[in-house]
């Protein structure tokens, strides 16, 4: 990280690299301002690729790459992009980064790339990306924008990983592809256990996220919506 | 017959919301009342019906491997498919902008109804998703692609109008406070998705 900082003319001694405000940029999206459960951004991909932990992790890493670099590019160009065409400019920058990610995934993790399928392309219209470009990067300097990208991706990633954990554990009895619930317990080999096939079906992801929202809002009454 | 099959399949079995979660963000954000839900749903049908055929032509005459053969034999080996994300999203954004201007000029009443929703649609996942599914499934002609697009749009319309109607009613129910709003909407959508799974076994 330090090399990136060196190239930025905007950072002065007065604003420390990891002051209180900067730390808040990372920790706030983890809970009180979570992109999925509070800002309601990026739901589509969060639900569709959480059948397996490995897919969820690959998706999170892709989003991390696109969001951090996209935020930095947008933030560096923020004074030169005319505001009337900013949506198209943002979309093109984002599409370029996503194309890079897609080619990388095809080259190095082809199996996962096949399973994640169109959802990598859909990172372009993932509202997290556009939402953060528009709400943060257009009005802030490069370094805070990069931190904001990291924070929001982490907030997005933990929801993905938690949902994927439950869906993979109860749906297929494995975690990251390794068997957790032993074969001998299954009914097919004489035991009593069945996989909960419902967990693999798409609607259960919605219900799981609903439950996470419930727990989160029960712990933090500030977030409760007024009907 | 095949066209009707693709249309019905796209509405019920491969529903954009319940089977693929595409366009969830606007689905959750704009479903507070039935009236706005109808407006956004209609706009989605319209934009999908226009952008998918255009992207189909782009895919088959420019981007696909060998698609440039109509320019001459020396172009036949070119594969531009790595450009497809950028081209598709540019086409979607441009067409949405164009549609907005045309509607504003020639049908002010429709613009009044759809106006605020059109810009939202450029970043609605279901539009780009429609283009990407069209690419992945290799429809054999433009009529099939259009029928798929319209079916997906109608499926999305049905889903958002249904959830909006439920949300209007649920305002009078006693939902636990932390679950109010977003939480209960997620769970209802999940239950609706399970109901839609009933269509899955149907072979058409």
């Amino acid at each position: 990280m330090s090399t990136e900082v060196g190239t930025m003319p905007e950072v002065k001694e007065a604003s420390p690299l990891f002051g209180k405000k900067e730390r808040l940029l990372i920790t706030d999206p983890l809970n009180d301002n979570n992109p999925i459960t509070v800002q309601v951004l990026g739901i589509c991909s969060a639900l569709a690729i959480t059948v397996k932990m490995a897919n969820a992790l690959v998706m999170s890493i892709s989003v991390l790459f696109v969001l951090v670099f996209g935020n930095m590019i947008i933030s560096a160009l923020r004074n030169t992009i005319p505001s009337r065409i900013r949506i198209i400019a943002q979309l093109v920058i984002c599409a370029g980064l996503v194309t890079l990610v897609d080619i990388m995934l095809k080259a190095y993790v082809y199996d996962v790339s096949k399973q994640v399928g169109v959802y990598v392309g859909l990172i372009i219209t993932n509202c997290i990306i556009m939402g953060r470009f528009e709400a943060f990067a257009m009005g802030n300097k490069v370094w805070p924008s990069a931190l904001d990208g990291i924070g929001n991706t982490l907030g997005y990633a933990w929801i993905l990983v938690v949902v994927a954990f439950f869906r993979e554990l109860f749906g297929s009895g494995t975690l990251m592809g390794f068997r957790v619930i032993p074969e001998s317990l299954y009914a097919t080999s004489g035991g009593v256990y069945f996989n909960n096939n419902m967990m693999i079906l798409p609607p259960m992801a919605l219900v799981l996220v609903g439950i996470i929202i419930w727990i989160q809002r029960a712990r933090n009454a500030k977030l409760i919506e007024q009907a | 017959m095949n066209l009707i099959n693709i249309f019905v399949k796209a509405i019920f079995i491969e529903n954009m919301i319940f089977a693929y979660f595409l366009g969830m963000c606007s689905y959750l954000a704009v479903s507070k009342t039935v009236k706005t839900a109808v407006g956004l749903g209609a706009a989605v049908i319209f934009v999908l019906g226009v952008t998918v055929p255009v992207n189909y032509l782009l895919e088959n005459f420019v981007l696909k491997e060998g698609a440039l053969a109509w320019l001459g034999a020396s172009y036949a080996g070119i594969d531009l498919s790595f450009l497809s994300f950028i081209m598709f999203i540019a086409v979607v954004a441009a067409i949405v902008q164009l549609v907005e201007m045309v509607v504003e000029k020639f049908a002010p009443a429709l613009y009044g109804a759809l106006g605020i929703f059109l810009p939202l649609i450029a970043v609605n996942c279901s539009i780009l998703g429609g283009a990407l599914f069209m690419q992945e499934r290799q429809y054999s002609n433009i009529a099939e692609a259009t029928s798929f697009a319209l079916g997906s749009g109608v499926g999305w319309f049905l889903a958002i109008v249904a959830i909006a109607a439920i949300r209007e009613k649920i305002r009078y129910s006693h939902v636990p406070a932390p679950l109010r709003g977003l939480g209960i909407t997620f769970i209802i959508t999940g239950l609706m998705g399970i109901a839609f799974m009933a269509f899955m076994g149907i072979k058409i």
Side-chain angles (χ1 to χ4, degrees), chain A residues 110-160:
Chain A
Y110 189 72
D111 297 343
V112 179
S113 149
K114 268 272 161 262
Q115 285 173 19
V116 183
V118 292
Y119 292 98
V120 169
L122 288 172
I123 294 178
I124 299 171
T125 48
N126 190 324
C127 336
I128 286 189
I129 311 270
M130 295 305 290
R132 294 326 291 173
F133 281 4
E134 186 73 15
F136 199 90
M138 283 303 281
N140 285 283
K141 291 177 181 166
V142 177
W143 174 242
S145 302
L147 289 179
D148 180 75
I150 296 173
N152 275 288
T153 318
L154 290 180
Y156 168 83
W158 84 257
I159 303 270
L160 244 71

Side-chain angles (χ1 to χ4, degrees), chain A residues 25-187:
Chain A
L25 283 176
I26 294 209
T27 54
D28 209 32
L30 290 186
N31 193 3
D32 288 353
N33 201 14
N34 189 284
I36 293 186
T37 61
V38 180
Q39 304 176 44
V40 203
L41 298 174
I43 313 281
C44 328
S45 54
L47 302 172
I49 42 91
T50 49
V51 178
K52 290 199 179 115
M53 286 267 275
N55 295 1
L57 285 176
V58 168
M59 191 70 182
S60 305
I61 292 167
S62 316
V63 170
L64 181 71
F65 175 82
V66 175
L67 189 52
V68 171
F69 283 95
N71 253 353
M72 284 164 67
I73 294 172
I74 294 278
S75 160
L77 295 177
R78 70 184 184 279
N79 295 324
T80 43
I81 299 176
S83 69
R84 290 185 66 92
I85 58 157
R86 65 181 191 284
I87 301 277
I88 296 185
Q90 291 165 359
L91 280 174
V92 169
I93 289 173
C94 184
L97 288 168
V98 170
T99 308
L100 278 182
V101 168
D102 187 47
I103 293 172
M104 292 289 271
L105 286 184
K106 275 192 185 127
Y108 292 108
V109 278
Y110 189 72
D111 297 343
V112 179
S113 149
K114 268 272 161 262
Q115 285 173 19
V116 183
V118 292
Y119 292 98
V120 169
L122 288 172
I123 294 178
I124 299 171
T125 48
N126 190 324
C127 336
I128 286 189
I129 311 270
M130 295 305 290
R132 294 326 291 173
F133 281 4
E134 186 73 15
F136 199 90
M138 283 303 281
N140 285 283
K141 291 177 181 166
V142 177
W143 174 242
S145 302
L147 289 179
D148 180 75
I150 296 173
N152 275 288
T153 318
L154 290 180
Y156 168 83
W158 84 257
I159 303 270
L160 244 71
V161 169
V162 168
V163 174
F165 175 84
F166 285 110
R167 287 184 77 186
E168 189 173 354
L169 182 62
F170 293 113
S172 357
T174 56
L175 281 179
M176 297 293 290
F178 297 107
R179 184 140 292 284
V180 173
I181 296 169
E183 291 284 357
S184 55
L185 282 180
Y186 279 93

Side-chain angles (χ1 to χ4, degrees), chain B residues 69-132:
Chain B
W70 55 273
L71 274 181
S74 56
Y75 294 97
I78 296 178
D79 180 8
L80 290 177
S81 55
F82 65 92
L83 280 179
S84 53
F85 292 160
I86 293 185
M87 295 302 281
F88 285 170
I89 196 67
V91 164
V92 169
I95 287 184
V96 168
Q97 196 82 54
L98 204 68
V99 165
E100 197 185 345
M101 290 192 293
V102 170
V103 171
E104 189 179 11
K105 179 95 175 118
F106 293 106
L110 186 64
Y111 183 75
L114 295 186
I116 48 164
F117 300 117
L118 282 171
L120 266 181
I121 285 181
V123 288
N124 186 323
C125 328
S126 59
I127 310 292
L128 186 64
L132 293 176

Side-chain angles (χ1 to χ4, degrees), chain B residues 4-17:
Chain B
I4 300 174
N5 281 350
I6 292 178
F7 185 73
V8 173
K9 209 169 153 197
I11 296 180
F12 292 109
I13 303 171
E14 288 163 352
N15 188 288
M16 279 282 185
I17 295 266

Side-chain angles (χ1 to χ4, degrees), chain B residues 2-67:
Chain B
N2 195 22
L3 293 182
I4 300 174
N5 281 350
I6 292 178
F7 185 73
V8 173
K9 209 169 153 197
I11 296 180
F12 292 109
I13 303 171
E14 288 163 352
N15 188 288
M16 279 282 185
I17 295 266
F18 297 127
Y20 298 110
F21 309 113
L22 296 182
M24 279 307 270
C25 309
S26 27
Y27 168 85
L28 292 168
V30 195
S31 61
K32 291 210 171 89
T33 60
V34 172
K35 201 163 161 259
T36 50
V38 169
L40 183 66
V44 166
I45 298 181
F46 186 63
V47 174
L48 261 178
V50 176
T51 54
V52 171
V54 172
N55 278 330
Y56 180 85
L57 293 177
L58 192 69
E59 159 83 2
N60 282 285
F61 291 102
V62 181
L63 296 174
K64 223 163 61 177
E65 189 172 5

